[in-house]
Amino acid sequence: MGLEKRFEKQKYLSTPDRIDLAESLGLSQLQVKTWYQNRRMKWKKIVLQGGGLESPTKPKGRPKKNSIPTSEQLTEQERAKEAERPAEAPGEIIDRSRED
C-alpha cells in the first residue's frame, strides 16, 4: 500500500527518493526500483487502452532523445543568424556591445 500511495503522487523516483522509500518500507532499493518499473508498465497499458485519466509521460526535466543539438547544428544555427544580420558598409565600425 505504501508503494501504491507514493506511485499515485510520483510516477518516477529519483535515487534519493528511492532510498528513502525503501528504508521507510523495509525493502531494498532494487525491490522498490523493480516494483516501480513494473507498476509504470501496468499504468501505461491501462492509460493507452483508455482506462486512465492521465497520459503516460516521461518525467519532466529529462531531455528528449534528440533535443540536445550537435556541434554541427549549433554551427548551422550561428550561420543562419549571421545571414539574418544587415550587411555592414566597408570600414564602418559597429558597436555590438549595445545590441539587445
Side-chain angles (χ1 to χ4, degrees):
M1 286 304 289
L3 289 167
E4 278 293 339
K5 285 181 183 179
R6 185 65 174 266
F7 185 79
E8 286 302 313
K9 296 177 191 173
Q10 192 175 6
K11 304 294 189 243
Y12 291 82
L13 290 177
S14 64
T15 302
D17 288 340
R18 186 174 65 233
I19 292 169
D20 291 343
L21 184 58
E23 287 177 359
S24 70
L25 297 175
L27 301 170
S28 72
Q29 289 183 54
L30 183 59
Q31 287 174 309
V32 172
K33 181 179 177 180
T34 303
W35 186 91
Y36 253 79
Q37 288 172 337
N38 290 337
R39 186 62 180 86
R40 275 194 304 269
M41 292 304 293
K42 180 179 176 182
W43 170 68
K44 286 179 183 180
K45 187 176 179 181
I46 291 168
V47 170
L48 292 175
Q49 290 175 350
L53 300 174
E54 304 173 63
S55 63
T57 58
K58 292 187 177 182
K60 293 177 182 172
R62 276 191 182 177
K64 293 181 183 175
K65 187 175 181 182
N66 294 321
S67 66
I68 301 172
T70 64
S71 57
E72 292 83 15
Q73 289 171 326
L74 290 173
T75 303
E76 187 59 37
Q77 288 172 357
E78 289 172 6
R79 286 183 186 149
K81 285 180 185 177
E82 286 293 325
E84 291 174 2
R85 287 188 183 168
E88 300 171 9
E92 183 181 359
I93 298 174
I94 296 178
D95 183 6
R96 296 221 186 267
S97 65
R98 297 175 64 147
E99 286 184 0
D100 242 326

